[in-house]
Amino acid sequence: MVTEQGGGTSEADGGPVRHIPVLLSEVLAALDPAPGKVILDGTFGAGGYASAILDAGADVIALDRDPTAIAAGQPMVAAAGGKLKLIHSRFSQLAEHAPAGSLDGVVLDIGVSSMQIDEPERGFSFQKKGPLDMRMSAAGVSAADVVNRAKVSDLIRIFGFLGEEKQSGRIARAIEKRRAETPFETTRDLAGLIEIVTPRKAKDKIHPATRVFQALRIFVNDELGELAQALFAAERALKPGGRLVVVTFHSLEDRIVKAFFQDRSGKAAGSRHLPLVTARAATFTPVGKPMVAASEEEASLNPRARSAKLRAGIRTEAPSPGNDLSIFNLPELASLARLGG
């Protein structure tokens, strides 16, 4: 799976790009697949990682929340001769498909796939006109529901935090004024308004609507919450010595993964302003460098790899300390359920 990049050129406003697994050799080195091992690929996408893991001799349990990806992957399942199980599921629910302590590895490649971006009817890209949708699972609250129903204050927080959009207030107020006359229905409806409200300057590297579209996609699919829950689930499902490998493409995602591994390192936390927190047994030890980025060669061949970051850890025998979302400092945003049609 290949994702949109924050703060750089985004495929959200680009044309079709061939699927290329990002950091593939680095992922395999950190994951260490081999015959007799069972690896869970939480983001199957076009099957790039899963295929390489199968080639290394391991069995694969692959998940994807997108029914289109599940359908497209069936020939690969048939060709794998029983070594690949492909399941329609969110990766936050991975523990439901693997008993505690049963996996030798978990790999997560976070974000939206090139296949989803390249299909105008999915509404992820504003390069071509399509419905304002953005739902990876093709169900639930759409981006149009959010844009047409959310309070201005909620839109400002969504655009500002999830998209890091500096003009979030101006854009949100313009949306409120326009939707009172005509609801937003297509990607071009929204992108066109943003182009007017915040015109593109000569020095701008990205389209003025890129960050808003990114924010809506992350919010509609609860991507940060899904990632946080998936990390906890992977911790429970991995056996001692099992490996967790996560590839992110956006600073918000990377911060969550970094915070998780820091919290699970077993080191005592604290500062000169706060009391020292008692150290506990580490549930993960690091694999190689704390963070691995794409090489200049890979980034030049695959622009989507430019912002990719890999973090990995090896599961210890220490019990999981439980799910404490406070370690991620996630923002409180509008309720998705409240915005449904």
Side-chain angles (χ1 to χ4, degrees):
M1 187 172 284
V2 188
T3 77
E4 185 171 334
Q5 307 148 23
T9 302
S10 168
E11 74 279 3
D13 57 343
V17 178
R18 184 172 62 87
H19 174 84
I20 305 173
V22 173
L23 290 170
L24 179 59
S25 61
E26 292 86 350
V27 165
L28 293 177
L31 198 58
D32 192 29
K37 291 187 176 183
V38 179
I39 309 292
L40 187 141
D41 178 358
T43 46
F44 178 75
Y49 289 157
S51 177
I53 295 166
L54 289 168
D55 288 344
D59 289 3
V60 177
I61 301 170
L63 312 180
D64 205 295
R65 67 195 293 184
D66 187 345
T68 303
I70 298 298
Q74 293 309 310
M76 187 172 165
V77 174
K83 291 181 68 65
L84 170 63
K85 179 188 287 187
L86 184 54
I87 303 170
H88 183 209
S89 174
R90 298 169 181 260
F91 57 56
S92 62
Q93 301 168 330
L94 69 86
E96 297 178 12
H97 309 290
S102 66
L103 297 177
D104 296 286
V106 173
V107 59
L108 304 173
D109 180 358
I110 311 304
V112 64
S113 76
S114 56
M115 297 181 299
Q116 293 165 335
I117 292 167
D118 295 342
E119 298 172 357
E121 63 271 19
R122 302 300 299 273
F124 286 98
S125 171
F126 47 80
Q127 185 66 23
K128 296 180 180 179
K129 184 177 180 179
L132 192 57
D133 194 322
M134 302 192 194
R135 296 172 296 177
M136 292 180 184
S137 61
V141 175
S142 71
D145 291 327
V146 177
V147 170
N148 290 318
R149 297 171 182 269
K151 297 177 181 177
V152 170
S153 58
D154 288 332
L155 290 177
I156 292 173
R157 284 182 58 77
I158 291 168
F159 300 158
F161 187 88
L162 300 181
E164 300 176 320
E165 172 55 64
K166 295 180 180 179
Q167 301 295 327
S168 60
R170 179 183 298 180
I171 294 171
R173 287 186 288 272
I175 287 174
E176 180 186 41
K177 182 177 179 180
R178 150 65 202 272
R179 74 188 184 187
E181 301 172 357
T182 308
F184 290 87
E185 296 181 352
T186 71
T187 55
R188 290 305 307 164
D189 283 345
L190 181 57
L193 176 74
I194 296 171
E195 288 172 353
I196 294 172
V197 176
T198 57
R200 188 169 191 169
K201 300 176 182 177
K203 64 178 181 179
D204 292 343
K205 295 182 179 180
I206 62 174
H207 188 281
T210 298
R211 293 187 178 90
V212 168
F213 269 65
Q214 170 189 284
L216 286 170
R217 190 206 79 216
I218 293 173
F219 178 71
V220 163
N221 297 289
D222 188 24
E223 293 180 32
L224 302 187
E226 284 286 308
L227 173 56
Q229 294 294 348
L231 296 172
F232 292 140
E235 182 178 54
R236 295 191 298 273
L238 284 167
K239 64 177 61 171
R243 298 179 174 221
L244 172 59
V245 181
V246 189
V247 177
T248 61
F249 296 79
H250 187 277
S251 59
L252 296 176
E253 301 161 350
D254 182 58
R255 274 179 235 156
I256 288 174
V257 180
K258 182 179 180 180
F260 176 78
F261 280 126
Q262 285 181 336
D263 184 78
R264 270 28 185 185
S265 69
K267 297 178 181 178
S271 72
R272 62 191 180 94
H273 302 293
L274 296 172
L276 190 68
V277 177
T278 303
R280 61 171 182 258
T283 57
F284 282 94
T285 57
V287 176
K289 297 179 180 179
M291 188 275 290
V292 177
S295 66
E296 291 185 9
E297 180 181 5
E298 179 175 3
S300 65
L301 294 173
N302 181 11
R304 291 176 176 173
R306 282 197 294 263
S307 61
K309 294 180 179 179
L310 181 154
R311 297 185 187 273
I314 299 176
R315 186 71 169 89
T316 70
E317 295 184 355
S320 168
N323 300 6
D324 179 8
L325 288 172
S326 68
I327 67 173
F328 302 119
N329 195 28
L330 296 175
E332 290 189 12
L333 300 173
S335 167
L336 270 173
R338 181 170 59 81
L339 299 174

